[in-house]
Amino acid sequence: MTFSQPLHALQSQLCSVARKSPSLAKKLHAQIIKAGLNGHEPFSNTLLDAYGKCGLIQDALQLFDALPQRDSVAWASLLTACNLANLPQPALSISRSLLHTGFHPDHFVFASLVKACANLGPLHVKQGKQAHARFLLSPFSDDDVVKSSLVDMYAKFGLPHYGRAVFDSISSLNSISWTAMISGYARSGRTFEAFQLFRETPYRNLFAWTALISGLVQSGNGVDAFHLFVEMRREGVSIVDPLVLSSVVGACANLAVLELGKQIHGLVITLGYESCLFISNSLIDVYAKCSDLVAAKYIFCKMCRKDVVSWTSIIVGTAQHGQAEMALALYDDMVLAGVKPNEVTFVGLMYACSHAGLVSKGRALFRSMVEDYGIKPSLQHYTCLLDLFSRSGHLGEAENLIRTMPLNPDEPTWAALLSACKHHGNTKMAVRIADHLLKIKPEDPSSYILLSNIYAGAGLWENVSKVRKVMMVMEVKKEPGYSCVDLGKESHVFYAGETSHPMKDEIIGLMRKLDAEMRKRGYVPDTSSVLHDMDQQEKERQLFMHGERLAVAYGLLKAVPRTIIRVVKNLRVCEDCHTVLKLISTIANREIHVRDAKRYHHFKDGNCSCNDFW
């Protein structure tokens, strides 16, 4: 390249080559300064655009600050650079500066500004609405590109009704508008409207399918999402973008259906997307959530490039499965690899310390998170630290933390401390915490059961009566418990107390044999989790018919011999069932994996990976 060329030709060449590499962009910038062309406006804007597309945000900001005059192209280029780098906060700061200078944005700037607000998430609805209001008052209020961005913004804010109002005002609807609106309905759980719009769209391409499937997964409709993916495959839609695969893998992870996860993994390999970073990250997650940690580690080790999500996924996975030392060792490897941990990484690490009783290590990690990485602790971080203290018997320190932390503790946080008091037999403290928990009027039925048991254990029968009256007034009803056992090519759901199963007699017969053998080994049913006023025999019968026991018995009857029995529960495993499953793992000489609402349990040879406190 020579500077003897006409300026327009030189600018065109800059535009094509400067974006190819950061180093080239900087070299060209230096040559422009030497040639005295840095005051030429088109060159500055082109370089600004190149820096943004190369990911050199700081260089782009410095160049922008040095500009004597800033036109719409410069503002739009800088906002676009921040959006490309996923830095919505700087983009918002820039937009505030833009508006305070009295500059009037054009449609390009508005589109970039709206995208920045969308990337900030639903906590910044106010800023998004302000941007929308300024757009409506501008001369560009009819611009369909900005309107499409607004539809996408409201979809990400979980406000599809606002998005629909903008959608209906677009004069020429394009694929982006339709896709954003379908996504907005789906991710908000408004499946009827999402499906209806999907059937109406003239752009029923891969991106429309992806919007609907991803939205369904995000709103917890994983089964519908998977069926829709099967329909998409039958229609022969070519998967030229792997995002839909990541969403379906996520659905398998949430449903904890290992066989489906394996099938999607096979499809990923067939389509050649196995090396895709976010697909590999999703596969780590699905295998970890389906309790196949060996497969999760295998995928992680095979990855050529690992980002913070890769490391965090495997760290959290190993921590949740009770492998604390492995999780901490992986963290050390992550730091050595130069990957900076994020908030979720530290949640996993604190969780690992909690379940291994590593109090000093947990304190050190919490300090490091704040001092070394500048991460502001969230309620989840404080809850993990509280859990660590509670499990390890440091109840005084736990109570001091919950009363002094800068965030208001929620119901689960108080309930966790109360449960720890019960576990460690500290009745006096338990009653004090129970009184406070009762004052904040819990919503979770299990909290009331815990309160009732605490007061009953302390002989405070008036308080027990008070708790039950509150439950009656609030019509607190325990969510029906169910357990799903995965047998590879089939899975079956059992509800607590179910008696209509075709194999009922065989299941009950096996359970009675196991119960008789357990009692020979000293098992005595723990009925403390049964709240109802009934005799001991009826309480024991209720425990006997819990869903996880039915699911495990069915698994023992139907699963391939010596294979792991995998069960997923919607509620927490009760203490009695936990004891029973440990005993069954010994009697049947079978490994049992249970994923409940709180964590993963690996029952083997009479032990559990959670160390009997979860």
Side-chain angles (χ1 to χ4, degrees):
M1 184 185 75
T2 64
F3 287 100
S4 60
Q5 301 175 53
L7 290 181
H8 67 85
L10 182 57
Q11 186 190 357
S12 176
Q13 195 169 356
L14 273 171
C15 210
S16 63
V17 301
R19 299 172 190 171
K20 291 181 179 178
S21 75
S23 59
L24 183 58
K26 288 189 173 184
K27 286 178 182 177
L28 289 171
H29 189 184
Q31 291 184 41
I32 288 170
I33 293 172
K34 287 179 182 179
L37 296 173
N38 52 306
H40 191 66
E41 191 174 274
F43 280 112
S44 299
N45 287 342
T46 302
L47 277 168
L48 189 62
D49 180 62
Y51 276 146
K53 288 182 170 61
C54 286
L56 299 171
I57 302 301
Q58 289 305 317
D59 295 273
L61 287 168
Q62 288 175 11
L63 177 61
F64 182 81
D65 290 338
L67 292 176
Q69 291 184 331
R70 298 156 186 170
D71 60 9
S72 294
V73 177
W75 284 105
S77 296
L78 191 61
L79 284 168
T80 300
C82 291
N83 288 333
L84 286 172
N86 195 25
L87 296 170
Q89 283 290 1
L92 204 63
S93 299
I94 292 163
S95 65
R96 289 196 187 105
S97 301
L98 179 154
L99 297 171
H100 287 154
T101 61
F103 182 83
H104 296 291
D106 64 7
H107 49 300
F108 293 111
V109 176
F110 271 121
S112 298
L113 177 57
V114 169
K115 186 173 182 181
C117 292
N119 290 340
L120 282 165
L123 294 178
H124 294 81
V125 174
K126 184 179 178 181
Q127 288 92 330
K129 288 183 176 180
Q130 287 175 346
H132 188 182
R134 287 182 179 274
F135 167 70
L136 291 174
L137 295 173
S138 76
F140 308 96
S141 58
D142 289 330
D143 188 88
D144 286 345
V145 174
V146 180
K147 288 182 179 180
S148 293
S149 297
L150 284 166
V151 174
D152 179 63
M153 181 187 77
Y154 284 123
K156 289 176 179 176
F157 285 170
L159 299 171
H161 48 294
Y162 282 98
R164 186 58 191 257
V166 179
F167 178 84
D168 289 338
S169 74
I170 297 175
S171 57
S172 181
L173 291 166
N174 57 22
S175 175
I176 297 171
S177 316
W178 282 95
T179 300
M181 196 64 248
I182 291 166
S183 175
Y185 277 137
R187 65 168 59 190
S188 298
R190 292 171 63 170
T191 54
F192 177 78
E193 292 99 326
F195 275 98
Q196 185 179 42
L197 207 62
F198 177 73
R199 304 302 177 196
E200 292 173 1
T201 179
Y203 303 98
R204 198 165 162 179
N205 53 25
L206 173 65
F207 303 105
W209 284 96
T210 301
L212 182 54
I213 291 169
S214 299
L216 290 171
V217 173
Q218 290 175 44
S219 62
N221 294 302
V223 174
D224 289 340
F226 197 85
H227 286 313
L228 196 67
F229 178 74
V230 172
E231 183 183 340
M232 185 191 87
R233 294 290 291 162
R234 284 175 180 162
E235 289 197 11
V237 178
S238 180
I239 301 179
V240 295
D241 184 280
L243 182 59
V244 69
L245 293 173
S246 178
S247 296
V248 177
V249 170
C252 295
N254 295 337
L255 295 169
V257 185
L258 182 60
E259 190 61 33
L260 285 179
K262 287 180 177 179
Q263 289 178 20
I264 298 299
H265 188 184
L267 180 60
V268 166
I269 295 170
T270 302
L271 295 173
Y273 290 120
E274 193 176 16
S275 60
C276 180
L277 180 62
F278 65 86
I279 291 288
S280 294
N281 290 342
S282 297
L283 287 169
I284 292 171
D285 188 51
V286 73
Y287 281 117
K289 287 182 176 175
C290 291
S291 74
D292 192 345
L293 205 54
V294 173
K297 290 176 182 175
Y298 176 75
I299 292 170
F300 176 79
C301 292
K302 276 187 63 181
M303 293 173 68
C304 298
R305 185 167 73 90
K306 303 177 180 76
D307 63 1
V308 64
V309 177
S310 319
W311 286 98
T312 298
S313 296
I314 196 66
I315 287 170
V316 171
T318 52
Q320 288 178 328
H321 286 277
Q323 298 186 17
E325 296 297 336
M326 175 63 74
L328 295 170
L330 282 164
Y331 172 68
D332 291 338
D333 292 340
M334 176 184 182
V335 174
L336 288 173
V339 180
K340 184 179 177 181
N342 61 18
E343 296 88 346
V344 184
T345 314
F346 282 101
V347 169
L349 292 168
M350 299 293 293
Y351 188 93
C353 291
S354 173
H355 286 267
L358 304 173
V359 179
S360 297
K361 183 66 176 177
R363 287 197 192 101
L365 285 167
F366 191 87
R367 270 196 313 271
S368 176
M369 176 183 71
V370 177
E371 297 171 5
D372 299 335
Y373 296 101
I375 297 172
K376 186 178 180 181
S378 66
L379 179 59
Q380 196 172 10
H381 292 118
Y382 280 110
T383 302
C384 286
L385 188 60
L386 174 87
D387 189 53
L388 171 61
F389 293 153
S390 301
R391 286 175 183 275
S392 305
H394 296 67
L395 297 178
E397 196 169 357
E399 185 177 12
N400 182 60
L401 175 68
I402 201 172
R403 294 190 185 281
T404 59
M405 64 188 197
L407 300 169
N408 289 326
D410 56 6
E411 177 190 337
T413 308
W414 284 107
L417 180 56
L418 183 58
S419 181
C421 293
K422 178 176 179 286
H423 179 77
H424 289 286
N426 191 329
T427 304
K428 185 177 179 181
M429 182 175 172
V431 171
R432 186 168 66 250
I433 300 299
D435 290 342
H436 183 86
L437 181 59
L438 189 58
K439 284 179 184 176
I440 65 174
K441 296 180 179 179
E443 296 179 2
D444 188 345
S446 64
S447 295
Y448 285 97
I449 294 172
L450 181 60
L451 284 167
S452 179
N453 291 337
I454 291 294
Y455 287 134
L460 300 172
W461 302 109
E462 288 185 9
N463 292 38
V464 173
S465 177
K466 182 180 178 181
V467 169
R468 298 195 180 192
K469 284 178 182 177
V470 170
M471 290 180 72
M472 290 176 64
V473 171
M474 296 180 65
E475 294 185 347
V476 174
K477 294 180 180 179
K478 190 173 181 180
E479 182 183 356
Y482 66 82
S483 300
C484 179
V485 58
D486 181 12
L487 301 178
K489 291 187 177 181
E490 70 161 304
S491 59
H492 201 93
V493 176
F494 289 88
Y495 290 87
E498 183 173 322
T499 57
S500 59
H501 194 275
M503 289 183 63
K504 178 189 70 172
D505 294 338
E506 293 95 325
I507 293 170
I508 298 298
L510 177 57
M511 288 171 64
R512 283 175 178 156
K513 288 180 182 177
L514 290 169
D515 186 69
E517 181 59 33
M518 287 188 294
R519 289 178 187 269
K520 288 179 184 177
R521 301 185 184 204
Y523 162 67
V524 177
D526 178 0
T527 59
S528 62
S529 62
V530 182
L531 179 64
H532 305 289
D533 295 318
M534 57 186 70
D535 59 34
Q536 183 66 18
Q537 187 176 0
E538 179 57 24
K539 287 182 178 181
E540 290 183 16
R541 195 196 71 80
Q542 283 218 347
L543 288 173
F544 183 81
M545 294 299 290
H546 273 190
E548 56 266 53
R549 302 192 196 191
L550 296 167
V552 168
Y554 182 73
L556 290 171
L557 290 168
K558 296 283 288 183
V560 176
R562 292 186 294 278
T563 57
I564 297 171
I565 296 183
R566 304 177 190 274
V567 176
V568 177
K569 272 186 64 66
N570 66 323
L571 303 177
R572 180 173 171 263
V573 175
C574 76
E575 291 188 44
D576 187 64
C577 285
H578 194 266
T579 300
V580 165
L581 294 178
K582 285 198 300 179
L583 287 166
I584 290 176
S585 72
T586 301
I587 296 168
N589 191 25
R590 202 67 167 269
E591 194 169 346
I592 303 167
H593 292 182
V594 178
R595 169 180 153 185
D596 71 6
K598 296 290 184 181
R599 60 160 298 123
Y600 298 80
H601 302 267
H602 290 202
F603 299 97
K604 185 178 180 181
D605 301 328
N607 297 306
C608 180
S609 58
C610 76
N611 296 319
D612 296 343
F613 189 69
W614 63 106

